Amino acid sequence: MSVRRVIVDHVLFVVEDLAASRRLYTAALVPLGYKELYVQEDCVSYGAEDLDDFSICQGEPVTTAAHVAFSAEGREDVDAFFEAAVANGATTRGQPGVWTQYSERYYAAFVNDLHKNNVEAVWHASDPIVDAPHRPGVP
């Protein structure tokens, strides 16, 4: 597996209702191994190993139509992300499967958050995935 260089230090989405967005993101990110690292009155920062790479903060104007993809360790994590996100207010953008326009090894799921941001969990398999739904097109 290749080692990727980090080119984005962190991402912040501005949200209207911090409590509702916090429920969604906290539930969706736990299966990926990311947790709440810092909680402030108007912001929650998520990450792993003391790296707060993603934050949501209440304010205006809200972030809309952005895209963020969270790295997953495996298919089960992608599936759990999807289920938790939808159960906590996200809407389906692309169900879990192999997104063939990216790669035969690209297993991902996509949801729209409360502000229609495209939020993804993706696992890059070492070999082509043959035993999962293959999904053509762009979610």
Side-chain angles (χ1 to χ4, degrees):
M1 177 181 281
S2 64
V3 175
R4 296 182 65 189
R5 181 176 166 209
V6 174
I7 60 169
V8 175
D9 186 73
H10 63 278
V11 173
L12 183 146
F13 282 4
V14 178
V15 300
E16 181 177 42
D17 182 340
L18 183 62
S21 291
R22 181 180 183 187
R23 279 190 299 276
L24 188 158
Y25 279 101
T26 299
L29 295 178
V30 163
L32 304 178
Y34 307 125
K35 62 184 178 179
E36 293 182 358
L37 294 177
Y38 306 104
V39 178
Q40 300 169 320
E41 183 177 329
D42 61 345
C43 290
V44 179
S45 297
Y46 298 90
E49 302 172 20
D50 298 323
L51 300 172
D52 57 328
D53 295 334
F54 179 75
S55 299
I56 55 172
C57 295
Q58 187 163 335
E60 292 180 2
V62 298
T63 304
T64 60
H67 174 66
V68 63
F70 293 99
S71 179
E73 295 292 321
R75 287 171 53 172
E76 300 80 15
D77 298 339
V78 172
D79 296 345
F81 156 86
F82 180 80
E83 294 299 324
V86 170
N88 284 278
T91 56
T92 300
R93 186 179 185 104
Q95 292 193 7
V98 180
W99 292 87
T100 56
Q101 76 276 16
Y102 303 123
S103 164
E104 294 291 324
R105 295 186 280 282
Y106 197 99
Y107 188 88
F110 301 80
V111 297
N112 289 319
D113 74 1
L114 303 177
H115 299 294
K116 305 295 184 222
N117 293 299
N118 178 353
V119 183
E120 171 188 0
V122 59
W123 172 58
H124 298 274
S126 57
D127 296 309
I129 302 166
V130 296
D131 62 341
H134 281 67
R135 306 200 184 283
V138 176

